[in-house]
Amino acid sequence: MSQRQVLQVFEQYQKARTQFVQMVAELATRPQNIETLQNAGVMSLLRTLLLDVVPTIQQTAALALGRLANYNDDLAEAVVKCDILPQLVYSLAEQNRFYKKAAAFVLRAVGKHSPQLAQAIVDCGALDTLVICLEDFDPGVKEAAASALRYIARHNAELSQAVVDAGAVPLLVLCIQEPEIALKRIAASALSDIAKHSPELAQTVVDAGAVAHLAQMLLNPDAKLKHQILSALSQVSKHSVDLAEMVVEAEIFPVVLTCLKDKDEYVKKNASTLIREIAKHTPELSQLVVNAGGVAAVIDCIGSCKGNTRLPGIMMLGYVAAHSENLAMAVIISKGVPQLSVCLSEEPEDHIKAAAAWALGQIGRHTPEHARAVAVTNTLPVLLSLYMSTESSEDLQVKSKKAIKSILQKCTYLPALEPFLYDAPPNILKHVVGQFSKVLPHDSKARRLFVTSGGLKKVQEIKAEPGSLLQEYINSINNCYPEEIVRYYSPGYSDTLLQRVDSYQPLNN
């Protein structure tokens, strides 16, 4: 065989290998091919090609492995069992930028599925190499490495701590300052996934100077970047008062309020979430939000969207109102109650209705004035129907019941209470009658109206246990009227009168 023929054989072999990995990489993009590829033993073949002398074959083999591992956890598990990870980690430090991106993609695809698979990546020493890749000259390599680190960190605090211990956080903070939008996005989301697990991990992100840089980028026009930034700031803020204050001190107000008007639903939702996480901690932080115009802006945002996008804003109003009478009144003045009532009535999802019920309860529980502000929107009958409906979730029933009780215990606006005399179950009825027993002794107009509207008659029809709290309330109401009036409206009184008519002997003239 001549030298030329030998070279031709090698060329054909290389061409065949190249065609093979390219075809597998292409087939791996379509779900219907995955099982066939797996059954054909493609993993072990690709592992061999990771060691190929031709760089493009190595890269394409890694790409194919990444696509397979990305598909499901069984295939990701197969990558681990085939002992492919050590080879990838070794090559990450040695190969060119194209291979580095492909190898980092495989690590991300494996690590995303479960904490166990992410731990396998940590155990094979990948973190140190991925962190080195964050300093690469190529933005694409940085992006691929940051993405892999993010998918490892997001599972739990232990894996997130491993990413921190490898020195990733300061380099991720540098990445968010790079000009490439895609790199900024993935670095911000990685910081978010690190910060979410514990106050200590969030503090690590703060100590690396991330918050100031993230806050400065809130005006960036890129919607995906904004929602990642808002998520990261939320994950820092949620843990403690100190961390929330650090975020506020980065001067996110009033800039964050502009995000509530964004066209992108994720930006709106994450902006509401950030404000919620700040406001929930203390009355002082809630007051700061109010002073910045945050309550009114969130109410407008709730009115401009639907579904789960509304949820953090609804909860934010509840947290603000829960802190104090004055803060609850700020929600009322900003017309938060009608908006929450709309959510309670029109949202189809029970968990959103439950959040609205809870928020309304936090607003109405403070004073008669607060309770009246809720009652006049005709919210109480809606809450009652949700509480009594067998189709409502258990959580919605519980939150509706708590809201009704907390509002009723303060409500002195009798027109809103009276329908409850006819519709409420005994455990709610007790609170309604209790409120009438508090108001009627001091209000002569209300006493007269209570008779003419049929309220007094209805009270006489209530069957209460002798000596019970309900009976005491009924007695208090009855004591507001002359005895003959009470008798007149008592059940059976008309029969008694008719008996007297029957037994009455007219006087003979």
Side-chain angles (χ1 to χ4, degrees):
M1 186 180 284
S2 68
Q3 186 177 1
R4 184 181 171 191
Q5 287 175 313
V6 171
L7 289 172
Q8 281 179 335
V9 169
F10 276 104
E11 282 175 15
Q12 286 173 343
Y13 178 49
Q14 180 176 325
K15 188 176 181 181
R17 298 195 318 276
T18 303
Q19 286 177 332
F20 173 75
V21 288
Q22 286 174 344
M23 184 60 72
V24 171
E26 177 62 27
L27 289 169
T29 60
R30 293 189 283 276
Q32 65 266 30
N33 300 327
I34 299 294
E35 190 177 348
T36 307
L37 288 169
Q38 189 179 9
N39 294 339
V42 77
M43 286 286 183
S44 56
L45 296 171
L46 289 171
R47 181 183 184 278
T48 304
L49 292 171
L50 284 174
L51 302 169
D52 200 277
V53 293
V54 180
T56 54
I57 293 174
Q58 293 178 352
Q59 294 151 25
T60 313
L63 178 64
L65 281 166
R67 287 175 178 172
L68 289 166
N70 197 48
Y71 184 70
N72 64 30
D73 52 357
D74 287 340
L75 286 161
E77 187 77 50
V79 170
V80 175
K81 286 180 178 173
C82 286
D83 213 25
I84 290 169
L85 294 181
Q87 179 58 44
L88 284 169
V89 173
Y90 173 76
S91 302
L92 254 178
E94 304 292 326
Q95 298 285 3
N96 64 29
R97 61 196 174 103
F98 301 107
Y99 185 90
K100 286 177 181 178
K101 282 189 275 189
F105 171 57
V106 180
L107 295 174
R108 190 201 85 174
V110 171
K112 78 171 193 176
H113 291 290
S114 70
Q116 293 75 25
L117 287 165
Q119 188 63 53
I121 293 171
V122 174
D123 293 342
C124 74
L127 293 184
D128 290 339
T129 312
L130 286 168
V131 168
I132 290 169
C133 288
L134 289 178
E135 297 183 273
D136 199 274
F137 288 113
D138 186 85
V141 173
K142 290 180 181 177
E143 187 187 333
S147 186
L149 290 166
R150 176 207 169 189
Y151 276 92
I152 294 165
R154 73 177 187 168
H155 290 294
N156 58 43
E158 290 74 20
L159 287 163
S160 195
Q161 188 63 55
V163 171
V164 169
D165 292 343
V169 173
L171 294 171
L172 288 169
V173 174
L174 288 174
C175 286
I176 62 174
Q177 299 170 63
E178 294 285 349
E180 292 80 14
I181 290 291
L183 179 56
K184 285 177 183 285
R185 286 179 194 158
I186 200 66
S189 61
L191 290 168
S192 177
D193 281 324
I194 291 167
K196 73 181 181 182
H197 298 292
S198 71
E200 293 75 23
L201 286 162
Q203 189 66 55
T204 303
V205 171
V206 171
D207 291 344
V211 170
H213 293 294
L214 290 166
Q216 285 169 8
M217 291 192 290
L218 280 173
L219 288 171
N220 192 293
D222 184 78
K224 286 184 180 176
L225 176 59
K226 273 194 287 196
H227 90 240
Q228 297 293 4
I229 291 165
L230 291 162
S231 172
L233 293 172
S234 299
Q235 299 294 4
V236 171
S237 301
K238 74 179 184 181
H239 294 291
S240 71
V241 177
D242 288 345
L243 287 165
E245 286 176 347
M246 287 176 186
V247 172
V248 171
E249 285 165 11
E251 298 181 359
I252 62 164
F253 290 104
V255 178
V256 72
L257 303 185
T258 63
C259 297
L260 293 169
K261 298 176 183 177
D262 201 275
K263 293 176 185 176
D264 188 278
E265 294 293 298
Y266 288 107
V267 173
K268 283 184 178 182
K269 184 179 179 183
N270 287 6
S272 296
T273 303
L274 173 55
I275 298 167
R276 178 192 73 192
E277 298 298 358
I278 291 166
K280 75 179 184 183
H281 290 293
T282 64
E284 291 75 21
L285 282 167
S286 270
Q287 189 63 59
L288 187 148
V289 170
V290 171
N291 294 348
V295 167
V298 165
I299 291 166
D300 287 345
C301 178
I302 293 170
S304 71
C305 55
K306 303 283 182 191
N308 279 318
T309 309
R310 281 175 157 172
L311 187 59
I314 291 168
M315 292 179 69
M316 175 266 184
L317 296 177
Y319 281 127
V320 170
H323 285 304
S324 72
E325 290 178 18
N326 288 342
L327 287 164
M329 190 53 69
V331 176
I332 292 168
I333 290 167
S334 297
K335 298 185 170 52
V337 174
Q339 194 60 68
L340 289 169
S341 299
V342 168
C343 296
L344 190 70
S345 300
E346 76 176 22
E347 280 295 334
E349 297 286 339
D350 277 11
H351 68 284
I352 301 174
K353 287 180 183 285
W358 170 78
L360 287 162
Q362 298 305 318
I363 294 166
R365 69 182 177 84
H366 292 286
T367 70
E369 192 179 358
H370 291 79
R372 179 175 179 140
V374 176
V376 295
T377 60
N378 205 34
T379 295
L380 288 168
V382 179
L383 287 168
L384 182 64
S385 67
L386 291 171
Y387 165 55
M388 296 181 71
S389 172
T390 54
E391 294 180 7
S392 294
S393 67
E394 185 181 350
D395 183 52
L396 177 54
Q397 288 178 329
V398 168
K399 288 200 167 57
S400 296
K401 179 185 174 184
K402 283 184 177 177
I404 291 167
K405 287 174 74 172
S406 58
I407 295 163
L408 286 179
Q409 285 168 350
K410 293 294 180 182
C411 188
T412 57
Y413 180 61
L414 301 187
L417 295 179
E418 203 155 309
F420 278 71
L421 290 172
Y422 301 89
D423 302 327
N427 58 335
I428 301 292
L429 184 63
K430 174 178 66 178
H431 300 290
V432 178
V433 176
Q435 288 308 104
F436 279 108
S437 74
K438 291 176 189 174
V439 176
L440 292 175
H442 312 291
D443 190 333
S444 58
K445 284 184 181 177
R447 288 198 294 274
R448 181 181 178 83
L449 189 62
F450 195 58
V451 173
T452 57
S453 67
L456 183 62
K457 181 176 186 293
K458 183 61 186 172
V459 165
Q460 306 314 309
E461 294 169 2
I462 295 169
K463 292 178 173 60
E465 292 286 326
S468 65
L469 194 58
L470 180 56
Q471 187 61 59
E472 284 181 32
Y473 292 151
I474 293 170
N475 293 342
S476 297
I477 291 169
N478 290 345
N479 290 337
C480 296
Y481 297 95
E483 190 178 338
E484 60 269 25
I485 294 291
V486 175
R487 272 209 313 274
Y488 180 77
Y489 286 107
S490 297
Y493 184 67
S494 57
D495 294 336
T496 304
L497 287 179
L498 285 172
Q499 285 173 8
R500 287 181 64 184
V501 168
D502 290 341
S503 61
Y504 183 71
Q505 296 297 323
L507 295 171
N508 293 322
N509 292 328

